[in-house]
Amino acid sequence: MERKNYMSNLNGTYKRLIIVAYRLPFSIKQTKEGVSLFQNSGGLVSAVLSMAEQMGQSAGDSGPKIHWIGHCDNSLKDIQQSAFEDEHFVAHPVFVDEDVHQAFYEGFCNDLIWPLFHYFPTFASFQENYFDAYQQVNNRFLEELTSIIEPGDLVWIHDFQLMLLPDLLRKAVPEATIGYFFHIPFPTFEIIKLLPRTWRQALMNGLLGADVVGFHTADYVKHFMHNVSEVVGLPIIEQRVVLDNRSVFVGDFPISIDFTKFDEGSQLEAVAEMRQHYQQLLNGNKIIFSVDRLDYAKGITYRLQGYERFLTQNPDWHNNVTFVMTVVPSRDKIGHYQEIKREIEETVGRINGLFGTIGWRPIVYSYLSLTFTELLALYTCCDVALITPIRDGMNLVCKEFIASRRDNQGVLILSELAGAAQELPDALIINPTDTQEVTAAIKEALEMQPAEQQDRMQKMRQHLQNHNVFRWSHNFLSAFMSDESWQSELATNLPIQSFIDAYQKAQHRLLLVDFDGTLAPIVNDPAKAQLSPTMQPVLHRLAEQNDLAIISGRNRAFLENAFRGFPVTLVAEHGSFIKKPDQDWQLLDMPASDWIEPVRATMNEYVDAYPESFIEEKETTIVWHYRNAKAEDIETKAVELATRLLSTPSAVKLTVMQGSKVIEVRTAQHSKGTIAQKLFEQTDYDFIVSMGDDTTDEDMFRQLPNWAYTLKVGAGITNARYRLARQRDVEMLLQQLDEVAINH
């Protein structure tokens, strides 16, 4: 019942499923008799098998098996490819030179990305050879992938070891269907900003090679989208990052577990016998249980301190409660991890020495891996599961505990910094570093009445039954089907139909539109910017039926030439000049000339330093253009220049504007906003639309009434109500308005 065909409507959509992950789906043992494969039982393997069943690729089916690309030890290099295959999977091993692999895996992945993305920046090691190795290994995976990929395949890439691979594959096979899932926390921009600029840009662009990018939680999606804006400057429309010729769907898909496996497993006779054995060993005490891999992100020391504080404050619980804590070995040859292990063992020894008696050990600590039977026995005999990581992408241990509790008893204490906390509000949610809060939660959990335990547990079990690992894989695959026709449609969050309806019903309409980047695409040589052949007649007809104003930073001569014969109002140099149809230009700003020379001199220093940049002088403004400058530090230098220009001596107030690859200085009497306000106050308009792509257009968006349709074109923070992703979306929207007029 759990494995119902969630994806029946998707059958036949994809020919084959190709999984790409750092690890293969099985461990490989070479013996005298040959090669033995031992399939892993983790959540990803279970989910992938479920997906394959839905796509008609399960074992015994006539369709192809799942292809899985993953790293393999070089000692297995001479084994025949046919040996890397079982009833479910055809594995494609990726072999990497040992020194490169060391710098890639132990270096970039585990000594940089892992600590950094878990908010432990002081543990992160920034070494150039690490990133070189990371690039090499991602390219090795690409070589294996391109050797097997065929038209119609779905490629699903996993986790932080392969962040560059989606874009590498997109460039090699542009028509490929690519999914990517990120299994650890995705951090805020303040963390990503610690990476060298070229590294963070490469990683973000790498992920955006996919069609669908998935994370565990909505918070991680929000962090990713913020990084998209800050690092690569691409527009975001709702859940899509919009590129020139495609978009990337970004969503939260909380990974889960095979609920039935743990629910039914907990009822096995072997589990019941071991559970009874543990309870006898612990003299019928209340049991607190935790199990974690050895890692600084798991917060084990804080957890122990919280338990110690509980024992200090609650002497009545001495001899009546036992904390069974299991730590699973991991990377204990690494310095940081050896230190954590030593600290854990010293803390356990100190607490047991401080509180223990001949007949009672407050903590039963073990450093080992548990069998499935042992794990289920501990899940089902404990009274409290204490799951308190300092940072965790999801944490499946808490979900396994819930799924195993068919008796609807037991209490989950869960860190608010685990991804699972957003799904499980009926747990006792705590801050793992607040030892008093941990203490209070332990006391509350141990004293909780069975009826309340049952109520909380039933709600959490119901959620996990409905949101199991198979639903996770189904939801991810379904994301590929959401809006396949977007390329032929407007990339916008504007409610198109209500916008068109309002336009049709209006009696007096005002259209306020920027030029560069809005009506015309941005070009390297500003003198060559022009309306497209399709835009010209559309704009002319709209100008005949509406009040249309072009509000631009361009000079008078350029605008007059570009819109010769158009019945439009022209506003030049951000509001310094205005020309209404059939009237002469009117000067609104009265500039003093004393400020121009010092500004020009300062800008010339940057032209000398960056010869690809240049200065453009208008009648009331002076502009430094740096679009063609390729230096890595150019944006930093632009901010530096703007800061210097703000202190330029002048008899009149100056405005320094940082636009799209420009720094512009002008007198501050008028702006696009003040002109927009003057224009809409002249008539009782009942429909106003304003569109622009630059920071100077924000003045216009702010000054207009809140019912106006304000649209930001492209990326960036904005005061506009809506967004159009690209300049060509402006053309498409204006064409729709034009069609309304033609049809009516």
Side-chain angles (χ1 to χ4, degrees), residues 507-570:
Q507 299 299 310
H508 302 287
R509 298 183 288 247
L510 176 63
L511 280 59
L512 306 168
V513 193
D514 176 43
F515 182 75
D516 291 283
T518 304
L519 288 178
I522 297 284
V523 292
N524 289 334
D525 183 355
K528 295 181 179 178
Q530 59 182 349
L531 298 174
S532 70
T534 55
M535 178 68 90
Q536 291 181 24
V538 168
L539 207 59
H540 201 286
R541 285 191 293 268
L542 288 173
E544 291 175 335
Q545 299 162 31
N546 307 280
D547 290 342
L548 173 60
I550 311 301
I551 304 183
S552 173
R554 292 285 191 158
N555 61 35
R556 293 189 289 173
F558 179 91
L559 291 179
E560 198 161 11
N561 182 61
F563 293 94
R564 195 175 305 280
F566 283 72
V568 297
T569 295
L570 300 176

Side-chain angles (χ1 to χ4, degrees), residues 275-462:
R275 177 169 61 243
Q276 187 175 16
H277 175 63
Y278 288 153
Q279 289 168 334
Q280 290 172 348
L281 284 175
L282 297 173
N283 300 318
N285 279 358
K286 292 274 190 176
I287 299 171
I288 301 170
F289 176 57
S290 76
V291 57
D292 300 277
R293 187 170 47 79
L294 180 67
D295 196 283
Y296 43 77
K298 298 301 182 182
I300 299 171
T301 304
Y302 285 114
R303 187 181 313 162
L304 288 168
Q305 291 169 356
Y307 180 62
E308 178 182 9
R309 195 166 183 173
F310 166 78
L311 294 176
T312 301
Q313 295 177 6
N314 298 277
D316 291 348
W317 277 101
H318 293 190
N319 293 295
N320 294 313
V321 63
T322 302
F323 182 11
V324 178
M325 189 178 78
T326 298
V327 176
V328 178
S330 172
R331 302 189 73 210
D332 50 13
K333 301 290 190 291
I334 307 299
H336 282 318
Y337 289 75
Q338 290 175 343
E339 186 178 332
I340 296 162
K341 183 172 182 288
R342 182 169 57 252
E343 186 178 358
I344 290 169
E345 291 170 351
E346 288 175 354
T347 306
V348 169
R350 181 173 53 76
I351 293 172
N352 278 339
L354 187 62
F355 297 100
T357 64
I358 292 175
W360 175 58
R361 267 193 303 165
I363 303 171
V364 175
Y365 165 73
S366 55
Y367 183 70
L368 48 76
S369 297
L370 298 172
T371 67
F372 185 63
T373 301
E374 290 169 336
L375 185 64
L376 284 176
L378 287 165
Y379 281 155
T380 53
C381 78
C382 75
D383 299 278
V384 179
L386 189 57
I387 314 298
T388 60
I390 297 176
R391 187 74 59 173
D392 219 339
M394 174 52 68
N395 191 291
L396 296 180
V397 168
C398 63
K399 295 188 176 185
E400 293 172 358
F401 164 68
I402 293 166
S404 69
R405 296 309 295 251
R406 192 181 285 189
D407 63 352
N408 288 313
Q409 291 298 292
V411 181
L412 172 62
I413 300 175
L414 182 60
S415 165
E416 64 184 345
L417 299 175
Q422 297 186 23
E423 291 184 79
L424 302 171
D426 290 290
L428 299 182
I429 306 297
I430 54 91
N431 182 312
T433 65
D434 185 342
T435 56
Q436 182 55 48
E437 192 171 21
V438 173
T439 294
I442 291 173
K443 188 174 191 298
E444 181 182 356
L446 289 172
E447 297 176 354
M448 188 178 291
Q449 293 300 307
E452 184 179 351
Q453 292 184 40
Q454 178 172 321
D455 180 59
R456 288 171 178 267
M457 188 61 73
Q458 281 179 335
K459 290 175 182 176
M460 292 190 290
R461 281 173 59 82
Q462 183 65 46

Side-chain angles (χ1 to χ4, degrees), residues 92-145:
H92 301 267
V94 176
F95 299 104
V96 180
D97 291 343
E98 188 54 41
D99 58 338
V100 174
H101 180 261
Q102 179 75 14
F104 157 76
Y105 186 68
E106 299 298 343
F108 194 83
C109 294
N110 289 331
D111 278 351
L112 175 58
I113 295 299
W114 182 269
L116 196 63
F117 282 38
H118 283 84
Y119 293 81
F120 287 85
T122 57
F123 289 4
S125 179
F126 300 82
Q127 296 188 34
E128 287 188 25
N129 67 306
Y130 284 178
F131 187 63
D132 292 341
Y134 190 77
Q135 291 174 301
Q136 288 183 57
V137 173
N138 274 253
N139 274 288
R140 276 289 298 115
F141 272 81
L142 176 69
E143 290 171 11
E144 192 63 41
L145 183 50

